Structure formats: C-alpha cells, structure tokens
Amino acid sequence: GGRVVAVGLVVAPAGGRDGVVPVGGLGVAGQTRLRIVSDLSVGVAGRGLLHVAAGEVIVERSAFIGANDFSSSFGSLRIEGQGRLNISESLLIGADRGRSDVNGVLTASQNSVVTIDEDVQLFRFGRVELHGDESAPAVYPILSAGMALRNNGELAVSYASATLAGPSINERFGQTFADNARLSFAGGLLNEGAIHLLDASLMGDVRNGSGSLHITGESRVEGSLRFEIDGALHLNLMGPDPTQFDALEVLGELELGGRLRLNIDDAYAPAPGDEFVIVEASGATSGTFDRREEGAVVARIGDMRFAISYQGGDGNDVAVVASAVPEPASLPLTVVLLALFCARTARHGSRIDRR
C-alpha cells in the first residue's frame, strides 16, 4: 500500500548497467503506487526492467522503452496480475534512428490494465505483446489513442481484445500478429506492412495500401476493407472442406485490388467442382484483384486449374473453383500450316540459293 512520487525515473541509465524496479502490492485498502511526474525511461545504454504486479504506475508525461538515443539499450515494461499502467502522453518503444542493438518491449497479461492517453509508436525492434488465456481472453478497453508501427515494430495479440481510439498505421516493415484476438481501430487502420490474422477479428475500417494481409483459419474484418493496387491478400488451400482452407469475412463494403496469393498444399488432390469461398462479403463488393477478371485462372496443379469468380457464395463473394484443363480439340492453325509448308517443300525442293 505504499506510495512513491518521482519527478522522473530512469531504469538502467547509461554505462551498460542493469536496473530492475518491481512494483507490487497486496493491501486491501490500497495498492503500491509509483507516480512519475515527468518522463519514464526504461533501458538507456543498459538493461532495464519495470515490473508491475498488483500495483499501479502513473506516468504524467511520456514513457520511453529502449531509449532511441543510445546504443545497447534493452528496455522491458511488464504488466501482469492486477497491475495497472497509465501514461498521460505517448509511449515510444525501440529505436527510431536505425540502430540494430536497441530493443524495447511492453508485455501485458491477464487482468492487467494498460492505458496510453495519446499514441503508441513502435520503432525498430520495438514490440507490444498483449496476452490472455484461451479460457478467459484478456480485455484492454482503451489501449491508446492510436498506434504507429514503424521500421520492424511489432504488435502481437493473443487471446485478447484491445481498442485503439484514434487513427493507426502499420508502416512498411511493421508487423501485426493477431492470434484468436480482436483488435478495434476506431479511427481506422492503414496497412503498409504485414498483418497476420489467425482466427482473429479487426474492427473498424481497414485500408490495405502497399501492405500484405495474411489469413489463417477464419478471420473477419468488422468494417469496410479496401485493397489498393500495391497490396496483397495471402491465403492457404489444403482441401475443399471449410476447415481446410483460409477464409476472410468482411461485414462492411469490400473494394478489391492488388494481388491475390494462393498457397496450395502439395498433399491436396483437387477434383473438378471443388469450390472455395475465400472472401465472404456482407456489404457491396467492387473491383477485382490485379489482372484477375471474372473467370481468370489464378493457379494450376497438374491438369487442374483454379478460376476466380466474384459471384460466388450468395452472389457477391469471392470464390475459387477447380476444373480440369480441357483437351485440345484440334491442332493449332500454325501447326497445320507448318505441316502443309513442309509437304510442299518436299515435293518442289528447296529454293534456297546455295551459291
């Protein structure tokens, strides 16, 4: 039940030293509280750990995990149990100047509360991990105002849900992993990096710019989804049963574009008529994948081909249908003409001047 107020806190300052600050409390009337009036820095040219378990940390300005001005910085901010973390301004994790030896991570687990009033910025080797339990997923009602994943920044959410109230961006080389998770982007999400969904849901309007969207299992976008020309959708086909191929459900408007990438399992033996509804749209659907008009062949396996349809399912879903490659009815005209030419040359002799 103790209280500590600090003007600023630096865990593991310059000099390659290690620093650990545990914050915990089991009091009934109140918990251990650490209040930082200025900034919090964890990992500054050293290894720093701020561990919050059953206590509360209040940062009245910004928090820096893995300082961005020093090399050899390793910062870790761990919130678990009944731990609570509130940052009044921004949370910056990792290095924004291309350093390869700076790492920062925020890890939150079941029953913890994390609130960042402004935005979260993940830089090179910066990572946010939100974990829950399969039987009782964790809930982070308002994680932050928004989030920006830059230059190898990573967001990993498993068996948890989180809400980002403002606009968010997954920039080039940014990675988002959602495993049985639900991420709400109230201000929308722009993807220029990579998003991996495993039986997961994205809430809000999603614009897939030059990024890639990787689907495993059955995932969902609870809002509109727009694919731009430089983006890509990746899915796996392992068989015609709904449990054997990946599918994406879009509850809002769907605007198609960019590339479709299908990974077909080598063990799958397709049969004519096998159909895969890979994108199910509840709202209006427009556009096509790049160079994939209605009926275009998107993949081949031996004597089987897979054609795309934008009128599958209930009439506006994206489906892929397998069919046998038709046998040629006759020899091509060029082959016939070549045979006639050869026959005529044999009768009349060659007219090549051999002088």
Side-chain angles (χ1 to χ4, degrees):
R3 302 287 190 270
V4 177
V5 179
V7 175
L9 177 63
V10 179
V11 183
R17 290 170 287 181
D18 296 347
V20 177
V21 177
V23 180
L26 300 176
V28 176
Q31 295 181 327
T32 301
R33 175 179 292 179
L34 172 62
R35 179 182 176 189
I36 303 166
V37 179
S38 186
D39 292 331
L40 166 67
S41 296
V42 181
V44 183
R47 294 179 180 271
L49 168 63
L50 177 59
H51 184 195
V52 184
E56 182 177 15
V57 173
I58 300 173
V59 183
E60 296 194 355
R61 290 185 60 184
S62 295
F64 302 86
I65 313 302
N68 55 18
D69 288 330
F70 297 88
S71 61
S72 301
S73 299
F74 301 91
S76 179
L77 181 54
R78 189 183 307 159
I79 318 296
E80 59 186 22
Q82 299 293 327
R84 301 173 66 90
L85 170 68
N86 178 259
I87 301 174
S88 297
E89 295 184 3
S90 297
L91 171 63
L92 291 84
I93 304 178
D96 64 352
R97 300 186 182 181
R99 298 183 184 278
S100 60
D101 55 354
V102 175
N103 290 268
V105 59
L106 166 66
T107 304
S109 58
Q110 185 73 22
N111 297 323
S112 62
V113 177
V114 179
T115 305
I116 298 98
D117 292 346
E118 294 187 6
D119 61 345
V120 178
Q121 298 191 44
L122 304 181
F123 296 102
R124 186 175 178 86
F125 301 112
R127 184 177 175 89
V128 169
E129 299 179 359
L130 306 176
H131 300 296
D133 185 79
E134 184 175 358
S135 60
V139 178
Y140 301 90
I142 301 292
L143 178 67
S144 71
M147 181 172 290
L149 284 73
R150 312 179 191 277
N151 195 15
N152 296 104
E154 291 186 2
L155 169 65
V157 185
S158 60
Y159 294 100
S161 63
T163 298
L164 295 99
S168 296
I169 181 171
N170 193 45
E171 290 190 355
R172 188 184 180 193
F173 303 125
Q175 300 269 352
T176 296
F177 301 90
D179 177 3
N180 289 273
R182 185 183 180 96
L183 294 176
S184 178
F185 297 93
L189 171 65
L190 170 61
N191 179 39
E192 303 285 358
I195 296 177
H196 303 261
L197 301 181
L198 170 59
D199 295 326
S201 295
L202 300 180
M203 297 182 63
D205 297 329
V206 178
R207 182 159 64 96
N208 193 66
S210 60
S212 57
L213 186 58
H214 301 256
I215 306 300
T216 302
E218 296 182 2
S219 293
R220 172 184 294 184
V221 173
E222 301 181 28
S224 65
L225 175 59
R226 175 184 176 186
F227 286 96
E228 297 187 350
I229 191 64
D230 293 326
L233 174 64
H234 296 251
L235 305 106
N236 300 290
L237 306 182
M238 293 166 284
D241 188 272
T243 62
Q244 295 178 303
F245 65 91
D246 303 329
L248 176 64
E249 182 181 6
V250 181
L251 300 187
E253 295 183 358
L254 172 63
E255 183 177 341
L256 296 169
R259 302 176 299 279
L260 174 64
R261 296 284 188 254
L262 296 179
N263 179 35
I264 303 177
D265 192 274
D266 293 337
Y268 165 49
D274 284 356
E275 182 177 3
F276 308 84
V277 178
I278 56 176
V279 183
E280 182 179 348
S282 298
T285 303
S286 61
T288 65
F289 288 109
D290 186 32
R291 293 178 291 180
R292 296 291 186 264
E293 302 296 331
E294 177 73 23
V297 175
V298 295
R300 295 178 184 268
I301 297 181
D303 60 353
M304 299 294 294
R305 65 182 182 182
F306 296 81
I308 194 168
S309 173
Y310 301 97
Q311 302 172 7
D314 60 3
N316 69 332
D317 300 331
V318 182
V320 174
V321 182
S323 63
V325 177
E327 296 292 336
S330 60
L331 290 175
L333 179 60
T334 54
V335 176
V336 175
L337 293 176
L338 179 61
L340 292 174
F341 174 78
C342 293
R344 182 183 179 192
T345 301
R347 289 196 304 269
H348 298 284
S350 175
R351 295 187 179 182
I352 298 178
D353 188 354
R354 300 182 182 276
R355 291 177 296 175

